[in-house]
């Protein structure tokens, strides 16, 4: 072991000098800024609510009212005056109502547009017109024999008897009495759906003049020479 002496002291060298290894320093991480959480956007639009109006109603054909209040899209009346209800029957609007009603299946301008052409109800037999005899053509000498032209046969239509109120203008058939009441003959099973008024049983001739007819006392119709020319119109107040 080497020794080093100097003056009064002695230093003993125990080994070679070693350069120390530095300890690595780990850097402090820099925090990353965190942004706000985005708000999710709805992909579906907000639905617009459907508005409805309610009306008191009565059947166009005068049958039993399965519904007394009907519902349709707002402002249906007065452009359209008839509701086709879920029972398959047509109902005429009488007045607006504040009672919630049953939603109509469809709307129509009037009873005629809503009600399909009715099947005639069996009643008194309609007389079959007797065809006029067709004269036998006289052949022309030297020419071909002409073929006789067949005579057309009239096709009978519906002839329905209905109990109604009627007048020539006092209360338009709505107030009985003083208006008259009785049986009139039409080409449909209700005044609302009829387009023709006949003078009597058999329905072979149209009625004459101007007459006002009401079937239920709430509305009336005008017929001129057997043809419907106006209606439905709200009835006036009765005396």
């Amino acid at each position: 072991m080497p020794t080093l002496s100097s003056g009064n002291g002695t230093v003993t060298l125990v080994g070679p000098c070693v350069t120390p290894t530095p300890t690595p320093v780990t850097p402090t991480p820099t925090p990353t800024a965190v942004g706000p959480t985005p708000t999710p956007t709805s992909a579906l639009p907000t639905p617009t609510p459907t508005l409805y109006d309610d009306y008191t109603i009565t059947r166009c054909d005068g049958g039993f009212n399965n519904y007394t209040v009907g519902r349709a899209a707002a402002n249906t009346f007065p452009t359209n005056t008839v509701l086709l209800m879920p029972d398959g029957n047509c109902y005429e609007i009488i007045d607006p109502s504040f009672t919630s009603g049953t939603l109509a299946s469809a709307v129509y301008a009037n009873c005629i547009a809503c009600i399909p052409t009715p099947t005639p109800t069996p009643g008194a037999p309609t007389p079959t017109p007797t065809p006029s005899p067709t004269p036998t053509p006289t052949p022309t000498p030297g020419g071909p024999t002409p073929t006789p032209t067949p005579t057309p046969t009239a096709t009978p239509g519906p002839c329905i008897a209905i109990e109604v109120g009627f007048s020539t203008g006092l209360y338009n058939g709505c107030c009985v009495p003083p208006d008259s009441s009785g049986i009139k003959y039409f080409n449909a099973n209700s005044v609302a759906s009829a387009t023709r008024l006949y003078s009597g049983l058999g329905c072979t001739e149209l009625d004459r003049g101007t007459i006002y007819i009401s079937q239920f006392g709430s509305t009336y119709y005008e017929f001129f020479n057997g043809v419907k020319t106006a209606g439905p119109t709200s009835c006036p107040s009765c005396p």
Side-chain angles (χ1 to χ4, degrees):
M1 182 69 66
T3 59
L4 177 63
S5 299
S6 176
N8 296 325
T10 301
V11 177
T12 301
L13 185 61
V14 297
C17 294
V18 180
T19 303
T21 302
T23 301
V25 178
T26 302
T28 302
T30 301
T32 303
V34 178
T37 302
T39 302
T41 302
S42 174
L44 299 175
T46 302
T48 302
T50 303
L51 301 179
Y52 295 97
D53 287 337
D54 298 289
Y55 307 95
T56 56
I57 55 176
T58 186
R59 273 180 58 167
C60 288
D61 60 4
F64 179 77
N65 290 325
N66 295 314
Y67 305 93
T68 56
V69 180
R71 168 170 290 194
N75 300 319
T76 291
F77 183 81
T79 303
N80 295 290
T81 63
V82 172
L83 307 182
L84 176 62
M85 298 302 288
D87 63 354
N89 291 305
C90 300
Y91 288 72
E92 187 173 20
I93 293 174
I94 304 302
D95 288 301
S97 173
F98 295 101
T99 302
S100 296
T102 302
L103 184 63
S105 303
V107 298
Y108 291 89
N110 50 51
C111 289
I112 296 175
C114 179
I115 298 177
T117 302
T119 301
T121 302
T126 302
T128 303
T130 302
S132 302
T134 303
T136 303
T138 302
T140 303
T145 301
T147 302
T149 302
T151 302
T153 301
T155 302
C159 185
I160 312 299
I162 302 176
E163 176 80 21
V164 296
F166 58 91
S167 74
T168 56
L170 183 59
Y171 290 100
N172 306 313
C174 299
C175 304
V176 178
D179 288 342
S180 301
S181 66
I183 297 294
K184 293 290 185 181
Y185 297 88
F186 302 85
N187 66 335
N189 58 4
S190 72
V191 178
S193 57
T195 58
R196 297 292 185 270
L197 167 65
Y198 298 100
S199 60
L201 180 64
C203 298
T204 57
E205 183 178 355
L206 292 174
D207 196 48
R208 300 288 183 180
T210 300
I211 187 170
Y212 301 91
I213 293 182
S214 176
Q215 186 173 0
F216 305 110
S218 58
T219 57
Y220 69 91
Y221 300 82
E222 178 187 44
F223 288 81
F224 176 71
N225 286 343
V227 178
K228 181 187 284 182
T229 54
T233 304
S234 296
C235 281
S237 298
C238 293

